[in-house]
Amino acid sequence: RCNAGLTPKLGAANFARPDGTPLEVGSQVAHYGQFAMFTPEVVLLAMTETQIAGCALLRPLDESTAEVRRLYVRPAAQGQGIGRALMQAIIAAAQGAGHQALCLETLEAMHVAVALYRRLGFVEIAPWHAPQTDHDRTLFMRLELLSQD
């Protein structure tokens, strides 16, 4: 069972488990955001019955575009639709925040993730910054968001 929509705003440092009991992650998320050298606009956690199964972060790039950062699903939780649920929730959060497009970067070698992004409508675009590794080919992708008017 996956609940990817748990109190997604970073400012609300109190997350809840599926049974409603508190899960204190604010300091860990704040530390992670500091370590990652960006401040996320939205933090989403996916929970199994007993633990965090995955996460996704959203940060603004400019006034109309946001970036998906740190989509991650623990290996033991992979193959259960958690990555898709997190991406659908992050897309909805971006639309709700008024963003017109979502960008992301990933490694070409991450075949499952790349296939998911393509199924969700992301297309490959030109890089918006220099790739940070020479070991794998970095893909830059973009999704135009539908207006909620």
Side-chain angles (χ1 to χ4, degrees):
R1 181 167 95 87
C2 171
N3 183 354
L6 300 176
T7 315
K9 293 292 183 187
L10 178 62
N14 298 319
F15 293 82
R17 293 182 178 92
D19 66 3
T21 59
L23 176 65
E24 300 294 330
V25 297
S27 62
Q28 295 150 340
V29 170
H31 173 73
Y32 182 74
Q34 181 181 22
F35 173 75
M37 300 190 59
F38 67 89
T39 301
E41 177 179 48
V42 174
V43 175
L44 295 177
L45 299 176
M47 300 288 300
T48 65
E49 291 297 324
T50 59
Q51 67 178 351
I52 297 171
C55 65
L57 286 73
L58 181 73
R59 76 164 181 148
L61 282 179
D62 59 38
E63 289 193 20
S64 64
T65 307
E67 180 183 20
V68 178
R69 298 292 304 221
R70 307 298 190 263
L71 174 66
Y72 176 76
V73 177
R74 289 181 185 218
Q78 292 175 1
Q80 300 176 43
I82 293 170
R84 174 179 281 282
L86 283 166
M87 284 302 297
Q88 289 171 330
I90 213 88
I91 290 167
Q95 287 175 311
H99 296 293
Q100 297 170 5
L102 266 179
C103 291
L104 61 83
E105 61 184 280
T106 189
L107 298 177
E108 187 176 66
M110 298 184 74
H111 302 292
V112 174
V114 171
L116 170 62
Y117 301 144
R118 288 189 171 130
R119 282 193 307 274
L120 292 171
F122 283 84
V123 295
E124 196 169 336
I125 60 169
W128 64 84
H129 67 79
Q132 300 194 7
T133 178
D134 293 328
H135 303 289
D136 286 302
R137 184 164 177 261
T138 301
L139 296 179
F140 293 82
M141 303 181 86
R142 181 178 176 98
L143 174 68
E144 298 297 326
L145 299 173
L146 300 174
S147 172
Q148 291 194 331
D149 296 338

